Amino acid sequence: MKLAKYKETLSGPLRQATLCFLIKEKEILLARKKRGFAEGKINGVGGKVDDGESVEETARRETFEEIGVKVNSLKKVAVLDFYFTHNAGWNQQVIVFEVREWKGEPKESEEMEPFWFAFEDIPYGEMWGDDIHWLPRVLEGKKIKASFLFNEKEEILDYTVEEISE
């Protein structure tokens, strides 16, 4: 199935979520998900936007809840739309933020186990299949808009990635 065709079957806006990547020099903080959606995968930290909450408030809250860090500043670097052919309830728009200023040291929580990685050592094989298509561009300073369609095996069926000036 193609992405455009799948989108035609949907109605209403996508649920919003956030993803934050702490960056220091040429290292990125990633974390292994310990429970729930995407358990076992490595990714940034973040989560679903609660009613009445902005995406920025969500990014700050989730980062603190998941790794104990208080974010000082957020830089929006990507907007990613995810679609799942087998479970429309997983469809979501993820706003991705780069974080270069924060208070506290990242620590493990019940949900996430954080690790620092050099940009050249990012474990893409343990991450969602889409990350290799957009994260390297973000780390080069580009802003990205992308859409991904996954099947029930979490394999990418179709995708688009574009650099934006926003």
Side-chain angles (χ1 to χ4, degrees), residues 22-121:
L22 276 63
I23 306 285
K24 63 177 182 184
E25 296 176 22
K26 295 289 183 186
E27 290 187 315
I28 184 170
L29 186 92
L30 300 173
R32 185 175 306 280
K33 186 81 187 269
K34 294 167 58 177
R35 65 179 186 199
F37 182 74
E39 181 177 345
K41 291 195 185 302
I42 291 178
N43 209 337
V45 296
K48 293 180 269 231
V49 175
D50 289 340
D51 288 340
E53 191 176 45
S54 71
V55 291
E56 292 82 5
E57 290 167 335
T58 300
R60 291 174 193 281
R61 175 182 54 77
E62 289 281 351
T63 301
F64 183 73
E65 288 175 2
E66 292 184 349
I67 59 168
V69 165
K70 291 193 178 218
V71 171
N72 291 346
S73 62
L74 294 165
K75 179 182 175 187
K76 183 175 159 184
V77 294
V79 176
L80 310 173
D81 293 342
F82 295 105
Y83 302 96
F84 296 85
T85 58
H86 64 291
N87 188 342
W90 289 2
N91 294 351
Q92 58 190 302
Q93 180 175 74
V94 177
I95 311 303
V96 182
F97 295 99
E98 176 183 289
V99 177
R100 291 190 179 263
E101 297 176 19
W102 64 87
K103 288 187 177 132
E105 284 300 314
K107 62 182 187 249
E108 187 172 351
S109 68
E110 291 181 13
E111 190 165 351
M112 301 293 269
E113 181 181 9
F115 304 94
W116 287 101
F117 292 93
F119 287 179
E120 62 270 12
D121 295 328

Side-chain angles (χ1 to χ4, degrees), residues 136-155:
R137 295 185 196 185
V138 164
L139 296 176
E140 292 171 357
K142 310 279 193 316
K143 293 191 177 175
I144 300 296
K145 181 173 177 30
S147 295
F148 296 89
L149 178 64
F150 288 91
N151 67 15
E152 67 281 354
K153 296 177 185 173
E154 297 175 359
E155 299 165 331

Side-chain angles (χ1 to χ4, degrees), residues 1-7 83 147-149 158-160:
M1 177 178 282
K2 291 292 185 187
L3 187 55
K5 189 95 171 143
Y6 180 77
K7 284 181 174 181
Y83 302 96
S147 295
F148 296 89
L149 178 64
D158 194 19
Y159 71 96
T160 63

Side-chain angles (χ1 to χ4, degrees), residues 10-29:
L10 303 175
S11 61
L14 292 173
R15 177 186 69 196
Q16 287 204 308
T18 63
L19 194 56
C20 289
F21 293 100
L22 276 63
I23 306 285
K24 63 177 182 184
E25 296 176 22
K26 295 289 183 186
E27 290 187 315
I28 184 170
L29 186 92

